[in-house]
Amino acid sequence: MNRSASTSTSLSREAKAEARVASLQDGASWRPAIGLGLATLLLAGAVYAGIATGFAGLAYPTQAEGSLLRDGNGQVRGSAWLSQPFTGDGYFQARPSAANYDPMAAAGSNMARSNPALAERVAASTATVAAREGVAPAQVPADLVTQSAGGLDPQLSPAAARLQVARVARARGLPVKRVQALVQAHTEGRQWGLFGQPRVNVVTLNFALDHAAAAKAP
């Protein structure tokens, strides 16, 4: 073997050795990254979530379960945070829903105020509500004929709830003052006294009405 071939073989061996060292170094640099990723996934994705869920269940058991409303038999009738359709004159009506009150399809109509279809729908809804409550169309609050962004908001303005008191009291055979008292009891003020507007939760109000009717029954 000549000197040139010997030198070439030596260089090849050195290159292979350097490649092995580089490969080992690359592997060593990946191991901490993989370990950190797995540790983060375990701590943030499992341990933290488990602790937070457990704390929420202990500190706020009702809210953690979805603020469910149950009847006297323990049957779930809804959630205090999700609007639903109510049929019959004995119930307060919630805001219209573009999602048909489906929590899996929560959404608004996304129509602009300039959209003629929106104007037509609001006008038709206003006429329907006015006829139902026996008032002039100008007396119908806007939130009774407009949809919320999510389509599932259970709150109405106090004015919109008060407009329905006479009809509900008549259909239920309850004194108007009794229904007015229920509306007042379910009227929430501004958040921390500063944010938002006073509002009435229609779902919990109707739930209370059912309880009042059950208590009245012989």
Side-chain angles (χ1 to χ4, degrees), residues 133-149:
E133 306 301 341
V135 298
Q139 293 178 269
V140 176
D143 52 327
L144 278 176
V145 296
T146 55
Q147 300 161 346
S148 64

Side-chain angles (χ1 to χ4, degrees), residues 42 44 78 94 97 155 165:
L42 179 63
S97 172
Q155 292 91 1
V165 166

Side-chain angles (χ1 to χ4, degrees), residues 181-197:
L182 285 172
V183 170
Q184 184 61 38
H186 288 81
T187 300
E188 306 169 17
R190 297 173 183 269
Q191 187 73 31
W192 301 313
L194 297 173
F195 304 109
Q197 297 294 329

